[in-house]
Amino acid sequence: MFNFLFNNKGDKVMARAKLSKTEKVRNLFSTGKNVTWKSLRSTFDLRSPAAMVGKLRNEGMMIYENRGSKGVSYRVGTPSKAIIAAGITAVFGEQVAYSA
């Protein structure tokens, strides 16, 4: 019945399911700290950290990009009223536009 817990020798197999890179990056952003482009590139071996950020934005995460002298960093925040209004206008049109 519980054969999935045992390998061929009868030993117990205790392991966690592997997380995908997307899930790992999502978990990192959920901590609320700033995440640099370089850390995404090196830690998670991403070819294009900007593409991963774009993917997470499409999934609904509100990720802000900060450009500075030290490079690019990203953080998760709450959407402003202007962004919510633009989204409502884009989806429903001007007749039900939300005023900020």
Side-chain angles (χ1 to χ4, degrees):
M1 180 172 171
F2 294 104
N3 292 334
F4 64 92
L5 292 176
F6 301 96
N7 62 13
N8 293 339
K9 297 177 185 175
D11 297 329
K12 288 185 180 181
V13 177
M14 303 297 278
R16 295 183 193 176
K18 282 190 150 188
L19 296 176
S20 68
K21 287 183 183 181
T22 305
E23 291 170 329
K24 289 178 184 178
V25 173
R26 188 181 299 120
N27 290 341
L28 178 63
F29 275 121
S30 69
T31 63
K33 298 178 183 175
N34 285 348
V35 180
T36 63
W37 185 92
K38 288 182 181 180
S39 68
L40 288 174
R41 175 79 170 101
S42 61
T43 305
F44 299 106
D45 193 32
L46 298 174
R47 288 185 181 177
S48 176
M52 176 63 76
V53 169
K55 179 179 179 181
L56 292 174
R57 283 177 176 155
N58 288 337
E59 290 178 0
M61 289 187 79
M62 194 66 206
I63 300 175
Y64 293 97
E65 180 178 297
N66 298 320
R67 293 182 180 263
S69 60
K70 294 182 180 180
V72 177
S73 65
Y74 302 99
R75 68 176 175 82
V76 174
T78 56
S80 66
K81 289 181 182 180
I83 291 176
I84 292 173
I88 290 173
T89 302
V91 172
F92 298 111
E94 291 293 331
Q95 66 274 13
V96 291
Y98 175 81
S99 60

